Amino acid sequence: MGNSSEEEVKSLLFLILSQVSMEEQTEEELVLSLRRTYHSYLNYKKEQERRNNKKDYEVAHIVFGASVAGSLRNTLKEMGVQEEEKIICFSDNFSIGPLCNIEEKKGLSLRHKWFISHINMDEEYLYKYQHSFKNTILELKDVSDQTRIMIWACENSDEQTAQRFILSLLKNKKNDIFLINLVGAYKEIFAKSDSEYFPLHTGELSSEELNVIYEKNKTEQPLTLTERKRYEQEWEEISNQSKNLRIWKDRKIHSVGEDYYDRFIINTAKALHKKHNNKDFMKSARLIGEIIGHLNQKIGDEYFEYRLIQLVLNGVFEIEGVPKAMRFYSVKLHEKYRS
C-alpha cells in the first residue's frame, strides 16, 4: 500500500474500524469481512495502477483460460515481443450458465448467482468473479484503435461462445481483428494424414505449437465488416437463449437443456458397474473422469458434478459421503436404473 494517498488510507482504516465495531457478528464473520475489504482495496489499487500505466500495444491477444495465457506469454517472450504485444485473458466457462446482458451489472449478477446456486466452484474464484470479469471488459475496451486484435479459439462451445461475446464488445471499435482457428491451423501444420487427433481446447497446445501457429497466421486477413456483423448477430441469438448449456456440434453452437447429458451420465455409470462386475460405490471423480474422457466437448467437470448431484436428489444415484468436493463422496446407480 506504499502508493496509497493519505485519504485512501484514512478511508480504509475507517471502514475496518466500522467493521470491527459491528455487533452481532462472530469472529469468523469478522475475519471474512476484513479479508473481503482488504482484497477489494488491493483490486482497486491494481485497477488504478493499470489505468495509470496504460500504453498502446501493437497487438492484443485475446485468450480464454489461464493455462493458454501462460503458454502464449512464453511464446511472446521467446519471440522477443512481450513489450509490444499484450495478452487479455477471460477466465470463465461460456459453455454453461446464463449469458443475457452479462456485459452489464444486472446480467453479470444473474450469471454469478447461477454459478453459486448450481456449480461447486472455488470460493475465492466466486468471490472475485464479478470484479475480475468487469476488469477484463475494461481492459479490452481500453485497447487503442491502432492495436491489432487476435482472438485465439478452438472448436468448442466455450471458446466459440466467448469469441462471439468478445466481438460483440468490440462492435464499435475500428481495430483490425483476426481470428486464429486453432483446429484448422493445427490440422494444416501438425496433423499427419493418418491421424484423427486435433486439440479440443487451446490449453492443450504447447508454447512451441502456439509459436508456429502464430507465425503462420501473421499474414492472414482481418475480419471483414460483414463477418464481424455475423458473429455479433450470433452472439445476440445465443445470449438470449433461456437454456444454460451449450454444446459444439456440426461446427455450430447449440443451446440445450441442462439435463442433456443425464442419460449419458447414467449409461457411463452402468458401463463402469458392468466393467468391474460389482454394485459397489465408485468415487464420483472416477465417474466424472470417465464421462469427460469419452465426451468430445469442453464443458468442465464442475457441470457434470452438478448434474450428478441432481440425479442423486432425483433418486437415480445413491450417495456415500459429503458432496463438498468430488474426492469426498462416492455414488452408485440405484438398483432400478441398472438394467
Side-chain angles (χ1 to χ4, degrees):
M1 293 194 297
N3 62 344
S4 300
S5 68
E6 184 178 346
E7 279 301 313
E8 287 173 334
V9 173
K10 284 181 179 179
S11 297
L12 179 61
L13 288 174
F14 177 77
L15 184 56
I16 290 172
L17 288 172
S18 298
Q19 290 172 330
V20 170
S21 63
M22 284 179 63
E23 298 180 0
E24 298 181 358
Q25 65 175 334
T26 65
E27 183 177 338
E28 185 179 342
E29 288 172 335
L30 173 61
V31 171
L32 184 60
S33 177
L34 291 174
R35 181 185 177 196
R36 286 178 174 172
T37 298
Y38 180 65
H39 279 299
S40 294
Y41 184 76
L42 288 182
N43 287 329
Y44 157 72
K45 293 304 293 181
K46 285 178 183 176
E47 175 62 15
Q48 186 183 66
E49 183 179 3
R50 183 185 68 78
R51 287 186 168 273
N52 290 339
N53 295 332
K54 179 184 172 184
K55 61 172 281 189
D56 291 341
Y57 290 85
E58 291 181 15
V59 181
H61 299 273
I62 315 299
V63 297
F64 310 113
S67 64
V68 66
S71 296
L72 186 57
R73 195 168 285 112
N74 289 334
T75 296
L76 299 183
K77 285 180 181 178
E78 290 167 5
M79 296 173 71
V81 296
Q82 70 271 25
E83 297 300 322
E84 295 83 38
E85 303 186 16
K86 70 175 296 185
I87 296 171
I88 300 175
C89 174
F90 270 89
S91 187
D92 203 333
N93 184 352
F94 285 81
S95 291
I96 62 175
L99 296 173
C100 188
N101 297 321
I102 57 171
E103 71 281 7
E104 299 173 3
K105 183 177 180 180
K106 185 177 179 181
L108 183 59
S109 178
L110 286 173
R111 179 169 171 79
H112 186 216
K113 287 177 181 176
W114 187 88
F115 278 130
I116 292 172
S117 301
H118 296 79
I119 309 297
N120 189 5
M121 302 178 81
D122 179 71
E123 184 179 329
E124 191 74 14
Y125 174 83
L126 284 174
Y127 170 63
K128 295 178 179 178
Y129 176 77
Q130 291 194 63
H131 184 83
S132 298
F133 197 96
K134 291 173 187 174
N135 276 352
T136 309
I137 289 178
L138 287 175
E139 191 176 3
L140 182 65
K141 290 185 175 180
D142 279 346
V143 171
S144 164
D145 286 346
Q146 285 69 49
T147 300
R148 287 178 291 136
I149 296 175
M150 294 194 167
I151 305 176
W152 298 68
C154 266
E155 293 186 3
N156 58 66
S157 58
D158 174 17
E159 293 173 73
Q160 290 296 320
T161 302
Q163 177 178 273
R164 285 152 177 78
F165 173 59
I166 296 301
L167 288 165
S168 76
L169 293 175
L170 296 171
K171 62 184 176 183
N172 294 322
K173 293 185 76 71
K174 297 179 173 24
N175 306 68
D176 282 341
I177 300 175
F178 303 79
L179 300 186
I180 300 182
N181 182 323
L182 288 159
V183 171
Y186 186 92
K187 287 181 176 179
E188 182 181 348
I189 300 169
F190 301 108
K192 298 176 182 178
S193 58
D194 59 347
S195 174
E196 292 288 329
Y197 171 79
F198 59 87
L200 185 60
H201 58 90
T202 312
E204 293 181 10
L205 294 165
S206 67
S207 57
E208 292 79 11
E209 289 170 327
L210 293 175
N211 190 330
V212 175
I213 290 171
Y214 184 25
E215 290 288 357
K216 179 78 174 176
N217 279 267
K218 273 185 174 181
T219 56
E220 295 297 320
Q221 293 298 309
L223 288 175
T224 65
L225 184 59
T226 300
E227 289 171 326
R228 289 177 63 163
K229 290 289 184 185
R230 176 170 60 82
Y231 282 115
E232 292 162 18
Q233 181 59 39
E234 287 179 11
W235 168 253
E236 286 297 315
E237 294 170 0
I238 295 165
S239 63
N240 285 315
Q241 290 278 343
S242 59
K243 296 175 181 177
N244 292 324
L245 175 62
R246 285 159 288 280
I247 64 169
W248 182 253
K249 185 177 179 182
D250 299 326
R251 303 197 70 188
K252 292 182 180 179
I253 299 163
H254 299 265
S255 297
V256 296
E258 291 183 20
D259 61 352
Y260 183 82
Y261 284 113
D262 285 6
R263 176 51 55 184
F264 187 74
I265 295 171
I266 294 168
N267 289 339
T268 303
K270 281 183 184 179
L272 284 175
H273 280 308
K274 186 176 181 180
K275 179 180 179 181
H276 298 288
N277 197 27
N278 66 50
K279 302 175 183 179
D280 292 341
F281 283 96
M282 67 185 87
K283 285 291 184 184
S284 62
R286 172 75 178 88
L287 173 57
I288 291 171
E290 190 77 8
I291 291 164
I292 292 174
H294 288 86
L295 194 72
N296 194 27
Q297 297 283 338
K298 182 179 180 289
I299 293 172
D301 53 5
E302 299 97 341
Y303 183 82
F304 288 103
E305 184 182 17
Y306 153 55
R307 293 312 308 167
L308 180 59
I309 295 298
Q310 290 301 305
L311 291 169
V312 168
L313 294 174
N314 292 338
V316 178
F317 282 88
E318 298 177 53
I319 187 169
E320 182 179 73
V322 181
K324 59 182 179 180
M326 280 188 281
R327 66 183 182 276
F328 291 115
Y329 67 100
S330 301
V331 296
K332 68 177 179 181
L333 274 172
H334 193 283
E335 187 71 36
K336 66 181 180 180
Y337 291 97
R338 291 184 187 170
S339 57

